[in-house]
Amino acid sequence: MSNSEELERALARYVGAEIGPPAVGPDLVNAPMVRHWCEILGDANPVYTDPDVAARSVHGGLVAPPTMLQVWTMAGVALAGGGGPAADLQQELHALLSEHGYTSVVATNCEQVYDRYLRPDDRVTATTVIEAISPEKTTGLGTGRFIDTRTTYRDAKGERVAWMTFRVLKFKPAQPAQAASPAAAPAKPRRLRPLRSHDNDWWWQGVARGDLLIQRCAECGTLRHPPRPMCGACQSLRWDSVAASGRGVVYSHVVMHHPPIPGYGFPLAVALVELEEGTRIVSNVVGCAPDAVRIGMPVQLEMQDVDEELRLPLFRPVSGAAEEAR
Amino acid sequence: MTRTLRDAAAIAGIGQTEFSKSSGRSELQLACEAVKSALDDAGLSPRDVDGMTTFTLDTTDEIEVARAVGIGDLRFFSRTPHGGGAAIGVMHQAAMAVATGSAEVVVVYRALNGRSGQRYSQGVASDVVTSDLIHWSWYLPYGLLTPASWVAMFTQRYLHETGTTSEDLARVAISTRRHAVNNPNAFFHGRPLTMDEHQSSRMIVAPLHLYDCCQETDGGCACIVTTPERARDLRRGGVLIRAVAQAAGAEQEVMTSFYRPSLTRVPEMEVVAKQVYAMSGLGPRDLDAAVIYDAFTPIVLWQLEAFGLCKWGEAKDFVRDGGLDLGGRLPANTHGGQLSEAYIHGMNGVNEGVRLVRGTSLNQPARNDHVLVTAGVGVPTSAMILGKM
């Protein structure tokens, strides 16, 4: 018997099953929770929060917003926390699918039908049945299975007050590698990227190759930085570039303290470096304490990959310069 | 003979909202309140307005303000770019409009939730997708992202070349604070600043301390520009715009002109100074008081030099001698400036300039025939000289 047949068989056992004993709302329907919910969602209907208005309304008293239905029985932090042993059949089913590579989940549909308004002091109980598990389907998100559940909500007398169908897709992400890629990882903030355009892309390509380039007018030889399309001295549109030696001195500098900007590491030394070719460039000084940078300090270019995608021309004091400056 | 803007326009009314850290209302509403208050000051009705101008950075369209305030047909509207550099650029626009007959009554306004809304101190973010993002891209990857950091780069070099010290910067802050102490509209009303407090305040971007930086403020300011003839018949009369000019310098960048031969001069402000002096026929010695754009303390020193109030490198001596204080050579920022009253992008300074000429400043100097008002530093900028009708 193949692995997939085995899975089909295992899945079939869940269809039609109640996921566990009825979920009993830990709190009675109550005014404070209603008020918080209305505030957060911006629902200003006074029949939910103002007893006087509610008393004069068709309801004859306060009622809960119908769409608050799930609030009364849903496990809160416990559900979000996860990790522990499966508390019911639904969690067990999800764990089983995860083991078979359907590691991700997304909610796709939800329908609710209300029999009556809930009122303060109603005790809500929910029973959930797994109605269907689809064969494998391929979607934009990845390949997976739709799981349909139907939940019936009852009051203390056992009378139905509402029911809900809920569908999720439990799937194998289309690009499993994505989770590890920097774009998907919310993890570490990174430096802001320079925007590339026709006028500066060649310069950043030079950096990628390890060269610090200086734009040079092909007519009059004037060097210029930052790059621009026309020579301000002779108006020529013809240009080429030269690789800088990487030697320079600090012309001015600052130390960034506040506000802290994620991705850079504060305090941060930023310097205006005058290259020996005569142009200036803004960069960071590395390899010494930020407050040890001084005007006139000799520095040397150091190409650094500051993250997986960004290489920057940075500068380091030539040996001894930082100590001398002190 | 070339026609100039000399004495071609007058300010007939000023208005403002309260200044706060959280206005609790929209920038549109702040603009409306400021405009209405300026119209009331001038004794004009919204229907008298036929021109409007503001900053490109203002989030509120002139037609939004016009509709809300009940202003009717407009014959002139325009926007001035480059942040605080626009502070007098808008006055230049208004003066040109009334001088050419393009409009007769121009509303100038600026309103921002600078603290509770978008905060300029937070700097350039990658989500600011504009045409000048290429420009910022030379600084973004290295973390040089905030107005304080750009000004600090010039400051470090200026201190190095001139022997000016952090204490000299503090003297600028202390002077404006002294004025704010008497101004109930000022954030620092009743709260003087000591040298120790300045020096022990935290570093924002070395060498700039917290109290070298202006505030972030919610508020709005407006003024009414019209012809001198029309102003003469109005409730408050007029304050004459003796001269007004804009300039961008060679090799200009917005806040990061790091590639010029010198980092310790402000060429665009020198061009502005030359123009306003030539246009008005006045010189530095004729100035009685000033509102000097003070987003950061060092830029006040650079402007004293650019306007010829002292020689290059000697602004430190000017402030050591109490030159900015009441009774000093040039009483300046008598409202408390943007360091100590509020940061409304220089427009609260325009209102103070008008009060100085009217003689109604809360820190009124004895002489007030000619008052200089300047705009942002490090950007294409502007200035004007105000005088009596």
Side-chain angles (χ1 to χ4, degrees):
Chain A
M1 195 163 65
S2 79
N3 197 24
S4 68
E5 280 171 25
E6 205 174 301
L7 177 64
E8 293 301 335
R9 234 171 252 265
L11 292 179
R13 288 202 301 272
Y14 290 92
V15 178
E18 264 186 37
I19 63 168
V24 182
D27 298 296
L28 300 179
V29 172
N30 64 86
M33 284 171 71
V34 167
R35 184 173 60 78
H36 295 159
W37 190 91
C38 288
E39 277 181 16
I40 289 164
L41 292 188
D43 190 333
N45 189 338
V47 300
Y48 303 141
T49 52
D50 185 328
D52 298 334
V53 174
R56 293 194 303 272
S57 74
V58 293
H59 303 291
L62 285 174
V63 294
T67 49
M68 217 181 146
L69 179 65
Q70 279 182 283
V71 170
W72 304 115
T73 56
M74 184 184 272
V77 176
L79 183 66
D88 60 37
L89 277 187
Q90 189 173 15
Q91 288 184 23
E92 195 183 298
L93 168 61
H94 279 233
L96 174 67
L97 286 165
S98 292
E99 279 167 32
H100 284 79
Y102 303 96
T103 52
S104 296
V105 67
V106 60
T108 63
N109 303 67
C110 177
E111 278 179 39
Q112 297 181 343
V113 176
Y114 314 110
D115 297 298
R116 71 162 172 90
Y117 277 87
L118 292 170
R119 292 170 178 277
D121 298 332
D122 267 327
R123 167 74 73 190
V124 182
T125 300
T127 47
T128 298
V129 175
I130 298 169
E131 282 204 320
I133 303 171
S134 80
E136 200 173 75
K137 306 248 179 167
T138 297
T139 73
L141 285 174
T143 299
R145 293 163 181 276
F146 289 100
I147 304 169
D148 291 350
T149 55
R150 182 188 180 92
T151 303
T152 304
Y153 296 86
R154 299 181 188 281
D155 62 18
K157 288 184 234 156
E159 285 185 13
R160 194 181 74 179
V161 293
W163 55 272
M164 171 178 80
T165 59
F166 204 96
R167 169 177 284 190
V168 301
L169 176 67
K170 188 80 178 124
F171 65 103
K172 303 174 180 173
Q175 295 157 304
Q178 202 177 23
S181 89
K188 215 179 149 202
R190 304 186 308 169
R191 290 176 182 234
L192 295 170
R193 320 277 99 176
L195 192 77
R196 306 286 194 94
S197 79
H198 188 80
D199 294 331
N200 73 359
D201 192 57
W202 62 272
W203 191 90
W204 287 104
Q205 285 178 23
V207 169
R209 291 193 305 270
D211 289 329
L212 175 60
L213 298 178
I214 307 172
Q215 195 179 32
R216 177 173 64 182
C217 175
E219 294 286 342
C220 73
T222 303
L223 298 177
R224 56 187 198 254
H225 183 83
R228 68 211 78 152
M230 184 177 281
C231 174
C234 76
Q235 288 72 49
S236 171
L237 287 167
R238 293 179 50 233
W239 56 267
D240 56 15
S241 64
V242 293
S245 71
R247 287 185 292 273
V249 296
V250 172
Y251 189 80
S252 193
H253 63 96
V254 304
V255 184
M256 307 288 298
H257 289 276
H258 188 83
I261 302 167
Y264 290 86
F266 275 31
L268 174 70
V270 188
L272 179 62
V273 173
E274 190 158 281
L275 300 175
E276 69 175 3
E277 290 81 3
T279 57
R280 296 184 197 140
I281 180 172
V282 166
S283 181
N284 299 122
V285 177
V286 296
C288 73
D291 61 1
V293 179
R294 291 290 179 276
I295 288 175
M297 179 186 267
V299 290
Q300 175 66 44
L301 173 68
E302 177 172 307
M303 284 292 175
Q304 258 194 29
D305 294 322
V306 296
D307 56 45
E308 299 81 356
E309 291 170 356
L310 185 62
R311 173 175 290 184
L312 291 176
L314 305 182
F315 289 85
R316 179 181 288 275
V318 301
S319 58
E323 288 70 27
E324 275 168 39
R326 282 181 181 280
Chain B
M1 183 187 150
T2 314
R3 194 172 162 196
T4 75
L5 291 174
R6 175 175 175 165
D7 302 341
I11 303 169
I14 55 175
Q16 62 195 42
T17 66
E18 86 290 0
F19 305 134
S20 74
K21 300 296 180 190
S22 181
S23 71
R25 50 207 198 272
S26 68
E27 293 178 336
L28 170 60
Q29 181 169 339
L30 295 174
C32 293
E33 292 177 23
V35 169
K36 180 63 169 60
S37 137
L39 286 168
D40 290 347
D41 186 50
L44 288 167
S45 107
R47 291 284 163 181
D48 293 315
V49 175
D50 59 357
M52 297 188 77
T53 190
T54 185
F55 295 45
T56 53
L57 278 189
D58 204 280
T59 59
T60 305
D61 276 350
E62 41 287 70
I63 52 171
E64 296 276 348
V65 178
R67 273 207 314 278
V69 174
I71 291 167
D73 298 338
L74 290 176
R75 299 191 289 145
F76 168 79
F77 36 88
S78 72
R79 295 272 186 136
T80 306
H82 305 309
I88 310 301
V90 290
M91 303 304 292
H92 187 242
Q93 290 285 305
M96 288 198 296
V98 301
T100 57
S102 299
E104 192 186 16
V105 175
V106 178
V107 164
V108 183
Y109 68 95
R110 176 81 177 104
L112 68 168
N113 281 326
R115 182 59 178 78
S116 68
Q118 192 205 339
R119 300 176 61 183
Y120 294 137
S121 72
Q122 306 300 297
V124 181
S126 56
D127 59 353
V128 192
V129 182
T130 61
S131 58
D132 66 359
L133 191 56
I134 295 291
H135 158 230
W136 296 118
S137 288
W138 298 108
Y139 313 107
L140 295 176
Y142 308 103
L144 198 75
L145 292 167
T146 60
S149 73
W150 308 319
V151 171
M153 190 67 88
F154 292 96
T155 304
Q156 189 82 267
R157 187 75 200 183
Y158 181 84
L159 301 184
H160 175 78
E161 288 188 20
T162 62
T164 305
T165 64
S166 176
E167 285 84 356
D168 295 322
L169 305 183
R171 288 183 178 98
V172 175
I174 291 167
S175 170
T176 69
R177 189 68 79 81
R178 199 171 286 136
H179 297 147
V181 163
N182 302 324
N183 175 4
N185 297 320
F187 180 70
F188 287 111
H189 175 227
R191 290 150 69 188
L193 178 69
T194 66
M195 180 64 77
D196 279 351
E197 280 175 276
H198 176 281
Q199 290 292 292
S200 60
S201 68
R202 66 176 165 163
M203 279 293 180
I204 299 301
V205 179
L208 296 179
H209 287 266
L210 173 65
Y211 292 128
D212 290 314
C213 307
C214 69
Q215 308 168 58
E216 294 172 305
T217 308
D218 286 11
C221 286
C223 67
I224 311 297
V225 175
T226 186
T227 61
E229 297 72 35
R230 181 86 187 262
R232 201 163 281 126
D233 299 332
L234 295 175
R235 197 166 78 86
R236 303 290 299 250
V239 166
L240 204 53
I241 299 176
R242 305 301 315 272
V244 58
Q246 279 189 303
E251 295 284 314
Q252 176 90 62
E253 289 195 7
V254 172
M255 298 304 288
T256 53
S257 305
F258 297 147
Y259 314 99
R260 293 166 161 170
S262 170
L263 251 58
T264 57
R265 287 180 174 277
V266 191
E268 49 279 2
M269 204 53 107
E270 291 175 9
V271 177
V272 167
K274 205 173 150 188
Q275 291 185 84
V276 292
Y277 287 145
M279 193 182 291
S280 63
L282 301 168
R285 276 186 213 86
D286 300 311
L287 300 177
D288 300 315
V291 177
I292 304 179
Y293 198 92
D294 60 341
F296 299 93
T297 53
I299 72 174
V300 173
L301 303 183
W302 308 338
Q303 290 176 89
L304 289 172
E305 294 169 7
F307 279 93
L309 290 149
C310 59
K311 292 196 182 114
W312 177 84
E314 295 182 0
K316 62 179 185 298
D317 306 308
F318 192 100
V319 296
R320 285 174 194 174
D321 293 344
L324 300 173
D325 298 336
L326 277 180
R329 162 63 195 90
L330 186 73
N333 299 346
T334 41
H335 53 325
Q338 305 195 91
L339 290 163
S340 300
E341 187 196 48
Y343 176 81
I344 310 293
H345 241 157
M347 293 303 292
N348 49 325
V350 170
N351 286 2
E352 179 67 5
V354 170
R355 285 189 289 262
L356 281 166
V357 175
R358 286 178 175 175
T360 59
S361 169
L362 291 163
N363 295 289
Q364 183 65 40
R367 294 184 53 225
N368 63 344
D369 287 340
H370 303 117
V371 175
L372 172 70
V373 186
T374 73
V377 172
V379 287
T381 188
S382 49
M384 65 182 174
I385 297 175
L386 298 177
K388 294 175 178 168
M389 296 270 283

